[in-house]
Amino acid sequence: MNKKLLLLPGDGIGPEIIAEVRKLIGWINEHTDLTIDTEEDYFGGAAIDQYGVPLRDETLEVARKSDAILMGAVGGPKWDNVDYSIRPEAGLLKIRKQLDLFANLRPAIVFDALIDASSLKPEIVKGLDILIVRELTGGVYFGEPRGIEDLGNGERRGVNTQVYTTSEIRRVGKVAFEIAQKRQGKVTSCEKANVMESGKLWREEITRLHGESYSDVTLEHMYADNAAMQLCRRPSQFDVIVTDNLFGDILSDEAAMLTGSLGMLPSAALGAPGSPGLYEPVHGSAPDIAGQGIANPLATILSFAMLLKYSLDSVELGDKIEAAVQSVLAEGLRTADIMVEGCKKVSTVEMGDAVIAALKA
Amino acid sequence: MNKKLLLLPGDGIGPEIIAEVRKLIGWINEHTDLTIDTEEDYFGGAAIDQYGVPLRDETLEVARKSDAILMGAVGGPKWDNVDYSIRPEAGLLKIRKQLDLFANLRPAIVFDALIDASSLKPEIVKGLDILIVRELTGGVYFGEPRGIEDLGNGERRGVNTQVYTTSEIRRVGKVAFEIAQKRQGKVTSCEKANVMESGKLWREEITRLHGESYSDVTLEHMYADNAAMQLCRRPSQFDVIVTDNLFGDILSDEAAMLTGSLGMLPSAALGAPGSPGLYEPVHGSAPDIAGQGIANPLATILSFAMLLKYSLDSVELGDKIEAAVQSVLAEGLRTADIMVEGCKKVSTVEMGDAVIAALKA
Ligand SMILES: [Mg+2]
Ligand SMILES: [Mg+2]
C-alpha cells in the first residue's frame, strides 16, 4: 500500500523533531507492507524567508494531493514584526481553512512513567486517556456580525456571534462517534444548552445523530462548566468529549494540563472523510533550544502515530509506535524537558533511535 | 451601628443552615458594637407553596431596603413540574436582575484541615485562596439576537450574541480592583482578546481603568484557555480573577473543584456600591437530607462572613468568623458530608455551636 505524506518541518525545533519521524518512515518502508512516499516543503517563518509568504499555493496543492500532512512547529521572535497577514501562524490558519479541517483531535494521555509530572494525585490520573474532539472552524471565533463599535457617548460595544448549523454540528459529531467506536465507546457532548440556544441546537442535533446511526455508543450530555469541574475531579470518567470551538479551546487545554506533560501531547485536525488530515505536536517551536539537539521528539512521533491511525488506515502500526514510546519512557530515557532524577538524559536523536529500537524488539 | 439583613432560608436544607447563622447574629448583637436587625421571608419553592410565586414583590421591596440578603438554597423535586416562569430558580434570577447584581464573587479556598479532599497534590493547593469575580448580567447568556432558526432545507441555525459595553466592563472591573486592594493586590483579567473583539474591548477597558485609578494593583492579562490550564498547574499564582459571564461560569467552577470541598464554598452577588448584596452557599438545597439535622452549615456561615465584609463594613468580624471556621475544622469536627476517619462527626446544630464557641475563645 502506497501513501503520500507531506512533511512541513517549519521553524525552531521543527526540523529536528521531524527528522526523527523521517527515520521512523524509513523503518516502516523497509519493514512493513506500507510504503510512505514523502514530500517536504518550507512552512511558517522558514517559508517567509524562502518565499515571502508562510504558506505558498504550491505547498497547498501538494497538501491537497497527499493522504496526510505532518507539521513540526511554526513561529519565532525572528518573525514577530512581519505583517499580521503573513506572520507564520497565518500559514497554519490558511492550511486549516483551505483543507476545511473542522475537527480538532486533542488527546490527553498520562504515561505511567510520567505520572508524577501531573499536579493531580497519581491515583486520579493513572491510565488517563481522554480524546477531545473540538469543532474548529465555526462558533464564536468566526461568527458574524463581530467588531467593536463606538457608541459616541464615551461608550464602546464589543460584539461576537456564536453560531452553529445542523450540518456543522453533525459532521463533527460523526467524527466523535466513529472514534469512540474504536475506543471505549463513550461520547460526552458538552455545551450550555441551559442558557444558550446554540447549545440547545447542539444537544438536539447530537442526540438525533446518535439515535440515527450510533446507538452502539454511549452518549452523555454535560454542561461545559460541569465538564471543567469533572475533568478536575474524576477525569477517568471521560472517553471522547465532543464540543464546540470555544468550549473545546478551554476544555482541551485543561485536559492537556491534567497530564502535566504538555511537551508529550500530539494533535490532529481532520476534514471530511477521505480528505488529508493535518497532524502536529501541541508544543511550540521553542526557538530558545532550536539547533541544540535536545528537543523532545515524542509529541511529534505520537502525532505521526495518530496520522497512521486516522489518515493512513494503519491502526496497528500506530498502536505499535505508541507502545514503543511507552516502552522507552519505562526504560527511563528522558529528554531534558522531562528529565527527573534517576532517569537517563538523552538527545533528540538518541530518543528517536530508542523508539526505533523498541519497535524492533 | 445598626444594619438591616433579609434572611431567605428557601428550601430543603436552607432553613436548617440559616438557623445557624441566626445564632451567630444573636451572638454579634450581644457581644459587638454591630447590631443586625433581621427580617425573614419565604423564597423559592417555599414561596410558591405560600404565595404562588417564588419571589413576591413585597419580599423584593424589603430586599431593596436592606443592607444585604442572605439566602439558604432553593428548589427541589416537589417543584420540578411547576411552570418554567415560576419555578424556584426563577426567583433567584429575578432578585439578581431586579437588584442589578452584576458581580458574582466566587472564592476558592482550601482549608488546611480539608486539604486531602482535593484531587490535586497537597503541595499544589496548600493555602489556596483565589477570588473569582464573574460578570453576571451581560455577555452571551443575555445578548440579542438569539434563538434557533429553521433554514428550510433540513438545516437549523442556533445563534447567541456575546456583547459587552464599556460601562459593563468598567463596573465589574472596579469591583475586582477594589477587592484586590484589600487582598494580595493582584488582578488577573481573562478573555480571548486574540480571537474575539468583545475580549479585545474587555482587555482595553480593564487596562484603561487600571491606569486611571488602580495602579497600586498588579494587573495581568491571561487568555481564558490558558487560565483553565494555569488553575490546574499552579493555582497559587492567582489572587483575584476578573472575567466575563461565560468564562467566569467555567473558571469559577473549575477553581471551586480544585478545593475538593464544594459543600464549603460561599458566594456573593454585588451591585452598585451602596446597594444590597446577595450572599448564598454554592451548594444546593439537598432535599435528600433536608430535615435530618445533618447538613453542613459552614458554607452559609462563610457566606455570612463575606456579607459582613463586603456589605456591612465589618471586615474584622468577617475575618474572625472565618478564623473560627478554620479552628473548628482543625479541631477535627466534621458534618457527614466532609467526614473522614479520625475526625468527630457532628450535627448541623453542633457545628454551629462549635463556631460560636470558637468565636468566644
Ligand atoms: Mg486553547
Ligand atoms: Mg458554572
Side-chain angles (χ1 to χ4, degrees):
Chain A
M1 194 168 54
N2 275 58
K3 295 284 186 180
K4 288 186 64 174
L5 173 61
L6 173 61
L7 297 173
L8 298 174
D11 309 318
I13 58 171
E16 297 160 61
I17 55 186
I18 290 289
E20 298 312 306
V21 172
R22 221 181 282 114
K23 278 156 49 179
L24 271 174
I25 293 171
W27 185 89
I28 289 170
N29 287 348
E30 195 169 337
H31 293 93
T32 75
D33 290 345
L34 177 64
T35 302
I36 301 176
D37 301 317
T38 59
E39 292 206 43
E40 188 168 323
D41 203 350
Y42 294 103
F43 186 61
I48 295 174
D49 291 349
Q50 197 70 20
Y51 310 124
V53 290
L55 173 69
R56 57 177 189 151
D57 292 336
E58 290 86 337
T59 314
L60 196 57
E61 274 322 295
V62 177
R64 281 189 208 284
K65 291 178 189 146
S66 302
D67 293 295
I69 303 130
L70 182 69
M71 245 189 57
V74 294
K78 184 178 174 190
W79 306 281
D80 271 357
N81 296 316
V82 304
D83 188 75
Y84 194 77
S85 67
I86 61 151
R87 71 195 192 288
E89 293 75 12
L92 188 53
L93 294 179
K94 184 176 173 187
I95 197 167
R96 281 187 191 153
K97 192 180 161 68
Q98 289 296 321
L99 298 179
D100 204 9
L101 303 172
F102 58 81
N104 188 200
L105 272 50
R106 292 276 306 267
I109 300 163
V110 170
F111 296 95
D112 277 353
L114 302 182
I115 198 166
D116 290 333
S118 175
S119 56
L120 279 77
K121 293 173 179 163
E123 66 269 28
I124 303 283
V125 291
K126 188 172 165 45
L128 191 72
D129 181 2
I130 302 176
L131 182 71
I132 300 198
V133 179
R134 167 189 175 193
E135 202 289 329
L136 198 57
T137 54
V140 76
Y141 297 164
F142 294 97
E144 302 275 352
R146 65 188 299 164
I148 297 175
E149 177 186 13
D150 198 323
L151 300 178
N153 50 358
E155 287 273 312
R156 293 187 296 165
R157 190 171 174 274
V159 173
N160 291 91
T161 300
Q162 160 85 348
V163 52
Y164 273 104
T165 62
T166 298
S167 51
E168 284 177 314
I169 298 166
R170 285 175 67 94
R171 66 181 185 174
V172 72
K174 276 182 196 167
V175 170
F177 284 124
E178 283 170 21
I179 290 177
Q181 285 174 329
K182 296 176 198 157
R183 292 175 44 106
Q184 303 302 311
K186 181 176 171 192
V187 168
T188 305
S189 171
C190 300
E191 26 58 16
K192 287 284 293 183
N194 50 340
V195 283
M196 292 170 72
E197 284 86 353
S198 54
K200 190 164 175 283
L201 182 68
W202 182 282
R203 185 176 286 217
E204 288 172 7
E205 295 292 355
I206 293 287
T207 303
R208 189 150 63 100
L209 178 65
H210 177 249
E212 283 168 17
S213 318
Y214 301 102
S215 43
D216 55 326
V217 175
T218 302
L219 171 63
E220 174 182 77
H221 299 282
M222 191 180 280
Y223 296 136
D225 53 337
N226 189 27
M229 281 183 143
Q230 297 303 325
L231 277 172
C232 204
R233 191 178 79 90
R234 200 165 56 81
S236 57
Q237 72 188 277
F238 296 106
D239 175 22
V240 175
I241 292 176
V242 63
T243 187
D244 77 7
N245 201 343
L246 174 70
F247 294 128
D249 188 11
I250 296 175
L251 296 177
S252 66
D253 282 337
E254 182 185 348
M257 192 49 92
L258 297 177
T259 71
S261 309
L262 287 193
M264 290 293 300
L265 296 177
S267 80
L270 304 183
S275 69
L278 174 71
Y279 298 79
E280 55 175 322
V282 167
H283 65 66
S285 61
D288 52 319
I289 59 158
Q292 299 177 31
I294 59 171
N296 184 347
L298 294 179
T300 311
I301 289 173
L302 291 169
S303 299
F304 178 63
M306 285 184 82
L307 183 155
L308 287 166
K309 291 183 183 190
Y310 295 117
S311 288
L312 302 195
D313 245 344
S314 303
V315 174
E316 217 173 300
L317 202 47
D319 284 342
K320 219 173 144 178
I321 290 175
E322 287 172 1
V325 169
Q326 290 268 18
S327 135
V328 299
L329 291 171
E331 283 167 34
L333 302 192
R334 301 284 186 274
T335 42
D337 58 310
I338 53 172
M339 181 62 191
V340 288
E341 225 189 285
C343 285
K344 186 184 170 201
K345 198 195 269 187
V346 297
S347 68
T348 309
V349 169
E350 287 167 332
M351 186 60 100
D353 289 343
V355 172
I356 290 182
L359 272 179
K360 291 179 185 162
Chain B
M1 193 168 53
N2 276 56
K3 297 283 185 179
K4 290 186 62 174
L5 173 60
L6 173 61
L7 296 174
L8 299 174
D11 309 319
I13 59 170
E16 298 160 59
I17 55 184
I18 290 288
E20 298 312 306
V21 172
R22 222 182 281 114
K23 278 158 46 179
L24 269 175
I25 294 170
W27 185 88
I28 288 170
N29 287 348
E30 195 171 335
H31 293 92
T32 74
D33 290 344
L34 176 64
T35 302
I36 301 176
D37 301 319
T38 60
E39 292 205 46
E40 187 167 325
D41 204 350
Y42 294 102
F43 186 62
I48 295 173
D49 291 351
Q50 197 70 22
Y51 309 125
V53 288
L55 172 69
R56 58 178 188 149
D57 292 336
E58 291 87 335
T59 314
L60 196 56
E61 274 321 295
V62 176
R64 280 188 208 285
K65 291 178 187 143
S66 302
D67 294 294
I69 303 130
L70 182 69
M71 246 190 57
V74 295
K78 186 177 173 188
W79 306 280
D80 271 355
N81 297 315
V82 304
D83 188 76
Y84 195 77
S85 66
I86 61 151
R87 72 195 192 285
E89 294 75 11
L92 189 53
L93 293 179
K94 184 176 172 185
I95 197 167
R96 281 186 191 155
K97 192 180 160 68
Q98 289 295 320
L99 299 178
D100 204 9
L101 303 172
F102 58 81
N104 188 199
L105 272 49
R106 291 277 305 270
I109 299 165
V110 171
F111 297 96
D112 277 352
L114 302 182
I115 198 165
D116 289 333
S118 174
S119 56
L120 279 77
K121 292 174 179 164
E123 66 269 28
I124 302 282
V125 291
K126 187 170 166 45
L128 192 72
D129 181 1
I130 301 176
L131 182 71
I132 299 198
V133 179
R134 167 189 174 191
E135 203 288 329
L136 199 58
T137 55
V140 76
Y141 296 165
F142 295 96
E144 302 275 351
R146 66 188 298 165
I148 296 175
E149 181 186 7
D150 198 322
L151 301 178
N153 49 356
E155 287 272 312
R156 293 187 297 164
R157 189 171 175 274
V159 173
N160 290 92
T161 300
Q162 159 86 347
V163 52
Y164 274 104
T165 61
T166 299
S167 52
E168 284 177 315
I169 298 166
R170 285 176 67 95
R171 66 182 186 175
V172 73
K174 275 182 196 166
V175 170
F177 285 124
E178 281 168 23
I179 290 177
Q181 285 174 330
K182 297 176 195 155
R183 290 174 46 105
Q184 303 303 312
K186 181 177 170 189
V187 168
T188 304
S189 172
C190 300
E191 25 60 14
K192 287 285 294 183
N194 49 339
V195 283
M196 292 170 72
E197 285 84 354
S198 54
K200 188 163 176 283
L201 181 68
W202 182 281
R203 185 176 286 218
E204 288 173 6
E205 295 292 356
I206 293 286
T207 302
R208 189 151 63 103
L209 179 65
H210 176 250
E212 282 168 18
S213 318
Y214 301 103
S215 42
D216 56 326
V217 174
T218 302
L219 171 63
E220 173 182 77
H221 300 283
M222 190 180 279
Y223 296 135
D225 53 338
N226 189 26
M229 281 184 143
Q230 296 303 324
L231 276 172
C232 206
R233 192 179 78 91
R234 199 164 58 79
S236 58
Q237 72 188 279
F238 296 107
D239 175 21
V240 175
I241 292 176
V242 63
T243 188
D244 77 6
N245 202 344
L246 173 69
F247 295 128
D249 188 10
I250 296 175
L251 296 178
S252 66
D253 283 337
E254 181 185 348
M257 193 48 92
L258 297 177
T259 72
S261 308
L262 287 194
M264 291 292 299
L265 295 178
S267 79
L270 305 182
S275 69
L278 174 71
Y279 299 80
E280 55 175 321
V282 167
H283 65 67
S285 61
D288 51 318
I289 60 158
Q292 299 177 31
I294 60 169
N296 183 349
L298 294 179
T300 312
I301 289 173
L302 291 169
S303 300
F304 177 61
M306 284 184 85
L307 183 156
L308 287 165
K309 292 183 183 188
Y310 295 117
S311 287
L312 302 194
D313 243 344
S314 302
V315 174
E316 217 172 303
L317 203 48
D319 285 341
K320 221 174 142 174
I321 291 175
E322 286 173 1
V325 169
Q326 289 268 19
S327 135
V328 301
L329 291 171
E331 283 167 35
L333 302 192
R334 301 283 187 274
T335 43
D337 58 310
I338 53 173
M339 181 62 190
V340 287
E341 224 189 287
C343 286
K344 187 185 170 199
K345 200 195 267 189
V346 296
S347 69
T348 309
V349 168
E350 287 167 330
M351 186 59 99
D353 289 344
V355 172
I356 290 181
L359 272 179
K360 290 179 184 161

